[in-house]
Amino acid sequence: MNPFSSGTRLSDMIRAIRASKTAAEERAVVRKECAAIRASINENDQDYRHRDLAKLMFIHMLGYPTHFGQMECLKLIASPGFPEKRIGYLGLMLLLDERQEVLMLVTNSLKQDMNHTNQYIVGLALCALGNICSAEMARDLAPEVERLLQFRDPNIRKKAALCAIRIIRKVPDLSENFINPGAALLKEKHHGVLITGVHLCTEICSVSSEALEYFRKKCTEGLVRTLRDIANSPYSPEYDVAGITDPFLHIRLLKLLRVLGQGDAEASDCMNDILAQVASKTESNKNAGNAILYECVQTIMSIEENGGLRVLAINILGKFLSNRDNNIRYVALNMLMRALTVDSQAVQRHRATILECVKDSDASIQKRALELIYLLVNENNVKPLAKDLIEYLEVSDEDFKGDLTAKICSIVEKFAPEKIWYIDQMLKVLSEAGTYVKEDVWHALIVVITNAPDLHGYAVRALYRALHTSSEQETLVRVAIWCIGEYADLLVNNAGMLEVEDPITVTESDAVDIVEIAIKHHTSDVTTKAMALIALLKISSRFPSCSERVNSIIGQNKGSFVLELQQRSLEFSSVIQKHQNIRSSLVERMPVLDEATFSGRRAGSLPASVSTSGKSSLGIPNGVAKAAAAPLVDLLDLSSDDTPAPTSSSNNFLQDLLGVDLTQPSAQPGTMQPSQAGADILLDLLSIGTPAPVQNGSTNGDLLSMQDNNTPLASLDTISSTSPTAPSSMMDLLDGFGPTPPKIEDKGPAYPSIVAFESSSLKIEFNLAKQPETPQTTDIEAKFTNLTPNVYTDFLFQAAVPKFLQLHLDPASSNSLPANGSIKQTMRVTNSQQGKKPIVMRMRVGYKINGKDVLEEGQINNFPRGL
Amino acid sequence: MIHFVLLVSRQGKVRLTKWYSPYAQKERSKVIRELSGVILNRGPKLCNFVEWRGYKVVYKRYASLYFCMCIDQEDNELEVLEIIHHYVEILDRYFGSVCELDLIFNFHKAYYILDELLIAGELQESSKKTVARIISAQDQLVEAAKEEASSISNIIAQATK
């Protein structure tokens, strides 16, 4: 005999588990028991099988793995006795679910048991089928279920009806087999059968419109009669719940009537009287009665129009809403939401009560009420409602603030009657719950402010004031420093004063102070600090007297570990120190941001356009076609297309410089970003705004000039270790404009061919040529060579170039690359800044190897200078 | 439709789980953890409904046990409360003023009763008496089988003496 199988009894095991003081102890007990059960399974020990399974179920409930017991369930189900089958089916339902393949093995046992002479065994099989049957089992066993719907014992009929519901849910096509037996069940007297039968018919109606029509014609009157009988029936102890006979049956009948009456005036008419009776006579002091009323109101709202009934229903909801029981109020809110589409006027009447519910202490009710209020807001009531909600924002729970803020912002934005009101409300929200405000919301606020020229001064002063009181709200800080950067002069000289404003006195250094506080505040993140740096640069130009101080603040970030900040800091202080002459034009006020573009981008309706044809890549305005994720970039991006066209090439450089992509601070020109979406990669080139990558020859010169500028060498090291090309290209920008040696080689017909790209599988060579009459245009013949013995199909080469270039791509000679073979494609690049900027190109190659997609990307910056 | 039934003690111990929609084992424990976290932390006076993952969970506390049922958005929450109460009353009659210990040591009985009340996540029987009758009939079948088995083993034991 197995030393384990003497085993403990079920209750002993439970006791041992309960006696465990620690989780480890419990695990030890379970481990021991599982070992014993496994041993006993291996022995094929029949006497203890049902006990083992019972133990396994308990262990399963505690959350331990019990898959090894699955086959035991099947064995027990297959054994002849009732006790074994009973526990076997229970284990089957608990340990398995419909997605396990083992379940298929049980189909046959189920079929046999459904034909068993013992009705309790039939009941067990039906119960298991109803709870876990899969689509396949449903098809196999539907005929058995259909037969059992006419079984002599009502307890089997009701189980079969519920099985039929499950079967229809799994395989809706089978519903037609159950229409007639379902209709027959509606005439039953036994409540269990009636409940399940009514439900079966409701379910059939939901999947088959023919069945719906059939039931509507044949059964509506009968159902109305049944409902009347049950509603009028005298006290019957067996079905009584709180003085009402069988509320469950009431509810099921009302549900089916709702389905039948919806969209059919005749059927609706037929049930009007009984609905009126149920709605007016049902006791509403107990939960059971309220459950019926709730269902009845739903039915009245869904069936065809009957004025009197609707009034009755709305009144019931009004009573519900003022009930002291939270459950009742919750369902009332729920129901009012649905009633809104039917009769919004009636719902509006309860607005005050609903608003009270938003302030309830119960999170479920709050959430419901807020959603309802959100739907109730319109142009007429937005002012008081928003005021109330914003006031509540101050005292609401932290958990609820996120939802509440989002809804308030959405309401205020959608229904704002005038801009000043919108700005005021948003300011309140930002100062109260700025941390919960989403990016696109505060971006929208900035867009609105720039579009209201007469409110610039008002907005910046209000923001300045708000910043003093709630400096910890990140988004408020961002909006405020953006506006201070743009409109610092309006802040100081109180321009555009409105009558409602209190005058304030802000000196130039106060403005610098507040930005300084923001940049030094411990909660400010990189974005905020970066925005603050730009604001400072702008202030330095507006108030030349503060220039020194601004420069020292900016300089403090020269050693920042965040590359983005460090770079900005270096660049900006260089602008302040050495390029006074261009500074003011450089940091001119932002052009008015286009509302339509912004809202379009916010909705994601502007797809990034990328294609091989040169035209469309030309047509991409800088930044505009970028994904919505980076609107910030565009807000800061001075080189947006709305900017007055720059005249000097040096300006152009710097504008690009300011447009550095904030969302990817680490993105360096020339660095591959394989994880990014393809479209973005192509566009990045355009919006990162990096000018041409620097050739080796010039790097040396730049390094030297940088040392001349006394730039700390330490920071140089940091930068160069991150990306060797970065510092040189950056410095080239700043120091290179004056003496850029434009080595214009007008007639250089002979250019060496270059290897544009090479990976382990693909090599791209460019043959360059120029027509003497069009010196700006370069003809490029690209040769793609397959370096592997596989054939590449669906080969597609895509390229993008910065704005100053024009690209024209001809179709490739073929779209498939033979093994170790090559194809050709010609393109033409026109350089409008020829001699000043070299050609640079970003490219992407896609192809398929044996049907598998491959994507390769890279930047081509080794074009000879002067092209 | 009821997607699952959950009985959790105040300490967060699971006393009964019944799944009418397919949930893999991992999801099941995640659901239980998530829900017991939400429900056990709710105050006593709040409403009995929790919105969760696009469903609603109706729960009610009886002594130290929370009875939870997860239903669809459009289902009748008040009715589900009645179903929970219906189940509790049947348990109470069967065990004779039921307590948590009854449900721990006779968890399989609690499941049998639930199976007579719900199938496929829908209510099966509104009469407490009928449920009690069917359960006791089945219990008797088990008893009879047990007696038979023991009498056979007695006979065998005597014969082999």
mmCIF file of all heavy atoms in Angstrom, chain A residues 86 99 131 158-159 166 169 238 246 252 287 295 326-327 330 334 362 364 368, chain B residues 20 24 42 45 47-49 51 56 76-77 79 116 120 122 125-127 139:
data_model
loop_
_atom_site.group_PDB
_atom_site.id
_atom_site.type_symbol
_atom_site.label_atom_id
_atom_site.label_comp_id
_atom_site.label_asym_id
_atom_site.label_seq_id
_atom_site.Cartn_x
_atom_site.Cartn_y
_atom_site.Cartn_z
ATOM 1 N N ARG A 86 -21.508 13.204 -9.059
ATOM 2 C CA ARG A 86 -21.822 14.519 -8.514
ATOM 3 C C ARG A 86 -20.542 15.312 -8.259
ATOM 4 O O ARG A 86 -20.388 16.452 -8.699
ATOM 5 C CB ARG A 86 -22.602 14.338 -7.201
ATOM 6 C CG ARG A 86 -23.294 15.589 -6.744
ATOM 7 C CD ARG A 86 -23.932 15.344 -5.381
ATOM 8 N NE ARG A 86 -24.884 16.396 -5.038
ATOM 9 C CZ ARG A 86 -25.374 16.557 -3.810
ATOM 10 N NH1 ARG A 86 -25.030 15.724 -2.851
ATOM 11 N NH2 ARG A 86 -26.221 17.520 -3.555
ATOM 12 N N ARG A 99 -12.195 26.520 -22.530
ATOM 13 C CA ARG A 99 -11.134 26.618 -23.525
ATOM 14 C C ARG A 99 -10.145 25.471 -23.457
ATOM 15 O O ARG A 99 -9.214 25.406 -24.239
ATOM 16 C CB ARG A 99 -10.413 27.952 -23.371
ATOM 17 C CG ARG A 99 -11.266 29.100 -23.901
ATOM 18 C CD ARG A 99 -10.618 30.405 -23.642
ATOM 19 N NE ARG A 99 -10.437 30.588 -22.200
ATOM 20 C CZ ARG A 99 -10.219 31.768 -21.656
ATOM 21 N NH1 ARG A 99 -10.162 32.836 -22.412
ATOM 22 N NH2 ARG A 99 -10.065 31.898 -20.363
ATOM 23 N N ASN A 131 -22.989 25.319 -17.798
ATOM 24 C CA ASN A 131 -21.979 26.217 -17.234
ATOM 25 C C ASN A 131 -20.691 26.291 -18.026
ATOM 26 O O ASN A 131 -20.009 27.311 -17.981
ATOM 27 C CB ASN A 131 -21.667 25.804 -15.796
ATOM 28 C CG ASN A 131 -22.781 26.205 -14.852
ATOM 29 O OD1 ASN A 131 -23.647 26.997 -15.226
ATOM 30 N ND2 ASN A 131 -22.780 25.648 -13.664
ATOM 31 N N LYS A 158 -36.434 23.039 -16.764
ATOM 32 C CA LYS A 158 -35.864 24.377 -16.527
ATOM 33 C C LYS A 158 -34.362 24.370 -16.754
ATOM 34 O O LYS A 158 -33.796 25.321 -17.299
ATOM 35 C CB LYS A 158 -36.215 24.876 -15.123
ATOM 36 C CG LYS A 158 -35.525 24.145 -14.011
ATOM 37 C CD LYS A 158 -36.004 24.591 -12.637
ATOM 38 C CE LYS A 158 -35.109 23.920 -11.584
ATOM 39 N NZ LYS A 158 -35.687 23.915 -10.257
ATOM 40 N N LYS A 159 -33.705 23.271 -16.369
ATOM 41 C CA LYS A 159 -32.259 23.198 -16.602
ATOM 42 C C LYS A 159 -31.964 23.161 -18.093
ATOM 43 O O LYS A 159 -31.024 23.806 -18.577
ATOM 44 C CB LYS A 159 -31.674 21.946 -15.932
ATOM 45 C CG LYS A 159 -31.578 22.052 -14.420
ATOM 46 C CD LYS A 159 -30.744 20.916 -13.860
ATOM 47 C CE LYS A 159 -30.281 21.145 -12.440
ATOM 48 N NZ LYS A 159 -31.328 20.944 -11.418
ATOM 49 N N ARG A 166 -27.345 28.965 -23.109
ATOM 50 C CA ARG A 166 -25.887 28.903 -23.302
ATOM 51 C C ARG A 166 -25.544 28.475 -24.736
ATOM 52 O O ARG A 166 -24.649 29.021 -25.367
ATOM 53 C CB ARG A 166 -25.298 27.915 -22.285
ATOM 54 C CG ARG A 166 -23.845 27.579 -22.505
ATOM 55 C CD ARG A 166 -22.958 28.411 -21.624
ATOM 56 N NE ARG A 166 -21.554 28.127 -21.831
ATOM 57 C CZ ARG A 166 -20.591 28.596 -21.060
ATOM 58 N NH1 ARG A 166 -20.900 29.346 -20.041
ATOM 59 N NH2 ARG A 166 -19.338 28.332 -21.299
ATOM 60 N N ARG A 169 -26.011 31.311 -27.086
ATOM 61 C CA ARG A 169 -24.945 32.310 -26.961
ATOM 62 C C ARG A 169 -23.688 31.859 -27.679
ATOM 63 O O ARG A 169 -22.977 32.665 -28.271
ATOM 64 C CB ARG A 169 -24.621 32.544 -25.485
ATOM 65 C CG ARG A 169 -25.590 33.490 -24.840
ATOM 66 C CD ARG A 169 -25.201 33.737 -23.392
ATOM 67 N NE ARG A 169 -26.301 34.367 -22.691
ATOM 68 C CZ ARG A 169 -26.520 34.246 -21.393
ATOM 69 N NH1 ARG A 169 -25.720 33.490 -20.657
ATOM 70 N NH2 ARG A 169 -27.519 34.862 -20.816
ATOM 71 N N GLU A 238 -44.553 30.205 -0.946
ATOM 72 C CA GLU A 238 -43.404 29.600 -1.595
ATOM 73 C C GLU A 238 -42.607 30.632 -2.405
ATOM 74 O O GLU A 238 -41.386 30.551 -2.512
ATOM 75 C CB GLU A 238 -43.874 28.458 -2.516
ATOM 76 C CG GLU A 238 -42.707 27.624 -2.980
ATOM 77 C CD GLU A 238 -43.157 26.360 -3.704
ATOM 78 O OE1 GLU A 238 -44.368 26.084 -3.726
ATOM 79 O OE2 GLU A 238 -42.287 25.678 -4.244
ATOM 80 N N ASP A 246 -43.041 36.316 -6.256
ATOM 81 C CA ASP A 246 -42.011 36.030 -7.251
ATOM 82 C C ASP A 246 -41.555 37.260 -8.054
ATOM 83 O O ASP A 246 -41.852 37.403 -9.244
ATOM 84 C CB ASP A 246 -42.496 34.944 -8.217
ATOM 85 C CG ASP A 246 -41.306 34.180 -8.786
ATOM 86 O OD1 ASP A 246 -40.181 34.717 -8.721
ATOM 87 O OD2 ASP A 246 -41.512 33.063 -9.283
ATOM 88 N N ARG A 252 -38.367 39.028 -15.238
ATOM 89 C CA ARG A 252 -38.125 38.322 -16.503
ATOM 90 C C ARG A 252 -39.232 38.635 -17.509
ATOM 91 O O ARG A 252 -38.974 38.855 -18.687
ATOM 92 C CB ARG A 252 -38.058 36.816 -16.263
ATOM 93 C CG ARG A 252 -36.902 36.357 -15.386
ATOM 94 C CD ARG A 252 -35.721 35.971 -16.205
ATOM 95 N NE ARG A 252 -34.473 35.818 -15.489
ATOM 96 C CZ ARG A 252 -34.077 36.416 -14.388
ATOM 97 N NH1 ARG A 252 -34.859 37.262 -13.772
ATOM 98 N NH2 ARG A 252 -32.897 36.202 -13.866
ATOM 99 N N ASN A 287 -36.568 46.418 -1.358
ATOM 100 C CA ASN A 287 -35.707 46.266 -2.521
ATOM 101 C C ASN A 287 -36.390 45.485 -3.640
ATOM 102 O O ASN A 287 -36.280 45.854 -4.815
ATOM 103 C CB ASN A 287 -34.411 45.581 -2.112
ATOM 104 C CG ASN A 287 -33.455 45.458 -3.266
ATOM 105 O OD1 ASN A 287 -33.134 46.443 -3.913
ATOM 106 N ND2 ASN A 287 -33.038 44.253 -3.547
ATOM 107 N N GLU A 295 -37.221 47.783 -13.384
ATOM 108 C CA GLU A 295 -37.358 47.055 -14.642
ATOM 109 C C GLU A 295 -38.535 47.611 -15.446
ATOM 110 O O GLU A 295 -38.466 47.761 -16.666
ATOM 111 C CB GLU A 295 -37.569 45.562 -14.335
ATOM 112 C CG GLU A 295 -37.282 44.640 -15.483
ATOM 113 C CD GLU A 295 -35.806 44.593 -15.836
ATOM 114 O OE1 GLU A 295 -34.974 44.547 -14.915
ATOM 115 O OE2 GLU A 295 -35.494 44.612 -17.028
ATOM 116 N N ASN A 326 -28.765 54.550 -1.047
ATOM 117 C CA ASN A 326 -27.789 54.788 -2.118
ATOM 118 C C ASN A 326 -28.025 53.905 -3.335
ATOM 119 O O ASN A 326 -27.813 54.325 -4.465
ATOM 120 C CB ASN A 326 -26.375 54.547 -1.605
ATOM 121 C CG ASN A 326 -25.862 55.740 -0.846
ATOM 122 O OD1 ASN A 326 -26.320 56.850 -1.061
ATOM 123 N ND2 ASN A 326 -24.924 55.512 0.045
ATOM 124 N N ASN A 327 -28.425 52.655 -3.087
ATOM 125 C CA ASN A 327 -28.651 51.743 -4.218
ATOM 126 C C ASN A 327 -29.705 52.304 -5.157
ATOM 127 O O ASN A 327 -29.565 52.261 -6.371
ATOM 128 C CB ASN A 327 -29.134 50.385 -3.716
ATOM 129 C CG ASN A 327 -28.020 49.641 -3.025
ATOM 130 O OD1 ASN A 327 -26.856 49.969 -3.214
ATOM 131 N ND2 ASN A 327 -28.388 48.660 -2.236
ATOM 132 N N TYR A 330 -28.471 55.202 -7.086
ATOM 133 C CA TYR A 330 -27.553 54.761 -8.138
ATOM 134 C C TYR A 330 -28.326 54.301 -9.375
ATOM 135 O O TYR A 330 -28.043 54.722 -10.492
ATOM 136 C CB TYR A 330 -26.682 53.623 -7.608
ATOM 137 C CG TYR A 330 -25.759 53.040 -8.638
ATOM 138 C CD1 TYR A 330 -24.504 53.590 -8.852
ATOM 139 C CD2 TYR A 330 -26.139 51.941 -9.401
ATOM 140 C CE1 TYR A 330 -23.658 53.068 -9.794
ATOM 141 C CE2 TYR A 330 -25.305 51.413 -10.353
ATOM 142 C CZ TYR A 330 -24.064 51.978 -10.546
ATOM 143 O OH TYR A 330 -23.233 51.455 -11.486
ATOM 144 N N ASN A 334 -28.559 55.840 -13.247
ATOM 145 C CA ASN A 334 -28.349 54.944 -14.365
ATOM 146 C C ASN A 334 -29.473 55.036 -15.380
ATOM 147 O O ASN A 334 -29.272 55.116 -16.585
ATOM 148 C CB ASN A 334 -28.328 53.526 -13.786
ATOM 149 C CG ASN A 334 -27.272 52.703 -14.431
ATOM 150 O OD1 ASN A 334 -26.713 53.108 -15.443
ATOM 151 N ND2 ASN A 334 -27.003 51.560 -13.866
ATOM 152 N N ASP A 362 -20.069 58.511 -2.066
ATOM 153 C CA ASP A 362 -19.941 57.181 -2.656
ATOM 154 C C ASP A 362 -19.374 57.302 -4.072
ATOM 155 O O ASP A 362 -19.950 57.941 -4.944
ATOM 156 C CB ASP A 362 -21.336 56.546 -2.697
ATOM 157 C CG ASP A 362 -21.263 55.094 -3.120
ATOM 158 O OD1 ASP A 362 -20.353 54.754 -3.888
ATOM 159 O OD2 ASP A 362 -22.121 54.323 -2.681
ATOM 160 N N SER A 364 -19.164 55.237 -6.557
ATOM 161 C CA SER A 364 -19.984 54.723 -7.662
ATOM 162 C C SER A 364 -21.027 55.758 -8.083
ATOM 163 O O SER A 364 -21.261 55.973 -9.268
ATOM 164 C CB SER A 364 -20.699 53.438 -7.248
ATOM 165 O OG SER A 364 -19.777 52.438 -6.961
ATOM 166 N N ARG A 368 -21.337 57.936 -11.724
ATOM 167 C CA ARG A 368 -22.574 57.933 -12.509
ATOM 168 C C ARG A 368 -23.081 59.358 -12.711
ATOM 169 O O ARG A 368 -23.430 59.765 -13.811
ATOM 170 C CB ARG A 368 -23.664 57.170 -11.765
ATOM 171 C CG ARG A 368 -23.750 55.726 -11.951
ATOM 172 C CD ARG A 368 -24.322 55.310 -13.261
ATOM 173 N NE ARG A 368 -23.391 54.355 -13.812
ATOM 174 C CZ ARG A 368 -23.011 54.325 -15.062
ATOM 175 N NH1 ARG A 368 -23.499 55.140 -15.932
ATOM 176 N NH2 ARG A 368 -22.134 53.452 -15.474
ATOM 177 N N TYR B 20 -18.970 31.721 -14.882
ATOM 178 C CA TYR B 20 -19.876 31.372 -15.980
ATOM 179 C C TYR B 20 -19.341 31.865 -17.318
ATOM 180 O O TYR B 20 -19.814 31.460 -18.361
ATOM 181 C CB TYR B 20 -21.264 31.944 -15.712
ATOM 182 C CG TYR B 20 -21.883 31.359 -14.465
ATOM 183 C CD1 TYR B 20 -21.937 32.063 -13.279
ATOM 184 C CD2 TYR B 20 -22.378 30.038 -14.479
ATOM 185 C CE1 TYR B 20 -22.474 31.511 -12.132
ATOM 186 C CE2 TYR B 20 -22.918 29.474 -13.337
ATOM 187 C CZ TYR B 20 -22.968 30.217 -12.157
ATOM 188 O OH TYR B 20 -23.492 29.654 -11.038
ATOM 189 N N ALA B 24 -9.170 32.507 -17.651
ATOM 190 C CA ALA B 24 -8.045 31.611 -17.420
ATOM 191 C C ALA B 24 -7.644 31.691 -15.946
ATOM 192 O O ALA B 24 -8.015 32.634 -15.252
ATOM 193 C CB ALA B 24 -6.879 31.998 -18.318
ATOM 194 N N ARG B 42 -14.680 49.346 0.811
ATOM 195 C CA ARG B 42 -15.798 50.287 0.734
ATOM 196 C C ARG B 42 -16.501 50.399 2.083
ATOM 197 O O ARG B 42 -16.625 49.427 2.808
ATOM 198 C CB ARG B 42 -16.777 49.857 -0.352
ATOM 199 C CG ARG B 42 -16.324 50.318 -1.734
ATOM 200 C CD ARG B 42 -17.216 49.788 -2.807
ATOM 201 N NE ARG B 42 -18.554 50.352 -2.777
ATOM 202 C CZ ARG B 42 -18.902 51.489 -3.374
ATOM 203 N NH1 ARG B 42 -18.021 52.165 -4.045
ATOM 204 N NH2 ARG B 42 -20.137 51.928 -3.303
ATOM 205 N N LYS B 45 -21.998 52.311 4.470
ATOM 206 C CA LYS B 45 -23.233 52.979 4.059
ATOM 207 C C LYS B 45 -23.325 53.181 2.548
ATOM 208 O O LYS B 45 -24.315 53.684 2.043
ATOM 209 C CB LYS B 45 -23.317 54.356 4.737
ATOM 210 C CG LYS B 45 -23.691 54.282 6.210
ATOM 211 C CD LYS B 45 -25.197 54.346 6.410
ATOM 212 C CE LYS B 45 -25.631 53.897 7.785
ATOM 213 N NZ LYS B 45 -25.093 54.701 8.857
ATOM 214 N N CYS B 47 -23.364 52.439 -1.646
ATOM 215 C CA CYS B 47 -24.239 51.561 -2.417
ATOM 216 C C CYS B 47 -23.531 50.246 -2.718
ATOM 217 O O CYS B 47 -22.316 50.128 -2.586
ATOM 218 C CB CYS B 47 -24.699 52.250 -3.697
ATOM 219 S SG CYS B 47 -23.451 52.409 -4.956
ATOM 220 N N ASN B 48 -24.313 49.251 -3.084
ATOM 221 C CA ASN B 48 -23.786 47.900 -3.221
ATOM 222 C C ASN B 48 -23.260 47.595 -4.611
ATOM 223 O O ASN B 48 -23.142 46.427 -4.986
ATOM 224 C CB ASN B 48 -24.879 46.878 -2.881
ATOM 225 C CG ASN B 48 -25.298 46.969 -1.440
ATOM 226 O OD1 ASN B 48 -26.067 47.836 -1.068
ATOM 227 N ND2 ASN B 48 -24.769 46.087 -0.627
ATOM 228 N N PHE B 49 -22.993 48.634 -5.395
ATOM 229 C CA PHE B 49 -22.558 48.393 -6.772
ATOM 230 C C PHE B 49 -21.207 49.042 -7.010
ATOM 231 O O PHE B 49 -20.953 50.148 -6.569
ATOM 232 C CB PHE B 49 -23.570 48.983 -7.757
ATOM 233 C CG PHE B 49 -24.990 48.753 -7.355
ATOM 234 C CD1 PHE B 49 -25.864 49.807 -7.181
ATOM 235 C CD2 PHE B 49 -25.447 47.461 -7.117
ATOM 236 C CE1 PHE B 49 -27.171 49.595 -6.795
ATOM 237 C CE2 PHE B 49 -26.751 47.242 -6.725
ATOM 238 C CZ PHE B 49 -27.618 48.307 -6.562
ATOM 239 N N GLU B 51 -18.496 49.745 -10.243
ATOM 240 C CA GLU B 51 -18.260 49.608 -11.678
ATOM 241 C C GLU B 51 -16.828 49.158 -11.880
ATOM 242 O O GLU B 51 -15.909 49.697 -11.279
ATOM 243 C CB GLU B 51 -18.525 50.943 -12.373
ATOM 244 C CG GLU B 51 -19.999 51.168 -12.487
ATOM 245 C CD GLU B 51 -20.359 52.543 -12.967
ATOM 246 O OE1 GLU B 51 -19.641 53.057 -13.824
ATOM 247 O OE2 GLU B 51 -21.349 53.076 -12.469
ATOM 248 N N LYS B 56 -20.522 45.534 -13.944
ATOM 249 C CA LYS B 56 -20.887 45.996 -12.625
ATOM 250 C C LYS B 56 -20.766 44.828 -11.667
ATOM 251 O O LYS B 56 -21.131 43.705 -12.022
ATOM 252 C CB LYS B 56 -22.333 46.473 -12.628
ATOM 253 C CG LYS B 56 -22.458 47.874 -13.121
ATOM 254 C CD LYS B 56 -23.888 48.303 -12.982
ATOM 255 C CE LYS B 56 -24.333 48.984 -14.238
ATOM 256 N NZ LYS B 56 -25.746 49.052 -14.375
ATOM 257 N N ASN B 76 -30.200 44.263 -14.270
ATOM 258 C CA ASN B 76 -30.916 44.882 -13.153
ATOM 259 C C ASN B 76 -30.171 44.623 -11.845
ATOM 260 O O ASN B 76 -30.189 43.518 -11.307
ATOM 261 C CB ASN B 76 -32.335 44.303 -13.109
ATOM 262 C CG ASN B 76 -33.211 45.006 -12.102
ATOM 263 O OD1 ASN B 76 -32.723 45.535 -11.105
ATOM 264 N ND2 ASN B 76 -34.505 45.018 -12.366
ATOM 265 N N GLU B 77 -29.517 45.653 -11.328
ATOM 266 C CA GLU B 77 -28.681 45.476 -10.139
ATOM 267 C C GLU B 77 -29.514 45.103 -8.919
ATOM 268 O O GLU B 77 -29.084 44.301 -8.088
ATOM 269 C CB GLU B 77 -27.932 46.765 -9.797
ATOM 270 C CG GLU B 77 -27.058 47.328 -10.877
ATOM 271 C CD GLU B 77 -27.802 48.311 -11.777
ATOM 272 O OE1 GLU B 77 -29.049 48.293 -11.750
ATOM 273 O OE2 GLU B 77 -27.155 49.075 -12.492
ATOM 274 N N GLU B 79 -32.234 43.444 -8.810
ATOM 275 C CA GLU B 79 -32.650 42.047 -8.863
ATOM 276 C C GLU B 79 -31.503 41.144 -8.421
ATOM 277 O O GLU B 79 -31.718 40.168 -7.702
ATOM 278 C CB GLU B 79 -33.092 41.675 -10.279
ATOM 279 C CG GLU B 79 -33.702 40.288 -10.325
ATOM 280 C CD GLU B 79 -33.511 39.599 -11.654
ATOM 281 O OE1 GLU B 79 -32.857 40.157 -12.547
ATOM 282 O OE2 GLU B 79 -34.000 38.464 -11.781
ATOM 283 N N GLU B 116 -28.042 24.565 -8.188
ATOM 284 C CA GLU B 116 -29.494 24.425 -8.319
ATOM 285 C C GLU B 116 -30.170 25.790 -8.480
ATOM 286 O O GLU B 116 -31.371 25.872 -8.744
ATOM 287 C CB GLU B 116 -30.080 23.700 -7.100
ATOM 288 C CG GLU B 116 -29.737 22.222 -7.025
ATOM 289 C CD GLU B 116 -30.202 21.439 -8.250
ATOM 290 O OE1 GLU B 116 -31.237 21.796 -8.842
ATOM 291 O OE2 GLU B 116 -29.505 20.460 -8.599
ATOM 292 N N ALA B 120 -25.573 28.729 -16.286
ATOM 293 C CA ALA B 120 -25.205 29.616 -17.393
ATOM 294 C C ALA B 120 -25.319 31.082 -16.974
ATOM 295 O O ALA B 120 -25.586 31.944 -17.797
ATOM 296 C CB ALA B 120 -26.065 29.348 -18.633
ATOM 297 N N GLU B 122 -27.627 32.441 -15.217
ATOM 298 C CA GLU B 122 -29.017 32.903 -15.160
ATOM 299 C C GLU B 122 -29.741 32.181 -14.028
ATOM 300 O O GLU B 122 -29.409 31.047 -13.690
ATOM 301 C CB GLU B 122 -29.736 32.620 -16.485
ATOM 302 C CG GLU B 122 -29.079 33.229 -17.702
ATOM 303 C CD GLU B 122 -29.119 34.753 -17.714
ATOM 304 O OE1 GLU B 122 -29.819 35.330 -16.859
ATOM 305 O OE2 GLU B 122 -28.431 35.345 -18.560
ATOM 306 N N GLU B 125 -34.295 28.984 -10.418
ATOM 307 C CA GLU B 125 -35.435 28.620 -9.583
ATOM 308 C C GLU B 125 -35.714 29.735 -8.576
ATOM 309 O O GLU B 125 -34.806 30.234 -7.921
ATOM 310 C CB GLU B 125 -35.105 27.312 -8.840
ATOM 311 C CG GLU B 125 -36.190 26.802 -7.934
ATOM 312 C CD GLU B 125 -37.503 26.551 -8.666
ATOM 313 O OE1 GLU B 125 -37.542 25.635 -9.497
ATOM 314 O OE2 GLU B 125 -38.478 27.298 -8.409
ATOM 315 N N SER B 126 -36.975 30.130 -8.476
ATOM 316 C CA SER B 126 -37.301 31.207 -7.547
ATOM 317 C C SER B 126 -37.900 30.682 -6.246
ATOM 318 O O SER B 126 -38.183 31.459 -5.348
ATOM 319 C CB SER B 126 -38.258 32.198 -8.208
ATOM 320 O OG SER B 126 -39.411 31.518 -8.642
ATOM 321 N N SER B 127 -38.093 29.366 -6.169
ATOM 322 C CA SER B 127 -38.684 28.810 -4.949
ATOM 323 C C SER B 127 -37.598 28.178 -4.085
ATOM 324 O O SER B 127 -36.887 27.273 -4.515
ATOM 325 C CB SER B 127 -39.728 27.761 -5.319
ATOM 326 O OG SER B 127 -39.899 26.869 -4.249
ATOM 327 N N ASP B 139 -28.830 14.447 -1.734
ATOM 328 C CA ASP B 139 -28.051 14.036 -0.564
ATOM 329 C C ASP B 139 -28.433 12.626 -0.140
ATOM 330 O O ASP B 139 -27.580 11.828 0.243
ATOM 331 C CB ASP B 139 -28.277 15.008 0.597
ATOM 332 C CG ASP B 139 -27.523 16.312 0.395
ATOM 333 O OD1 ASP B 139 -26.682 16.359 -0.540
ATOM 334 O OD2 ASP B 139 -27.768 17.282 1.135
#
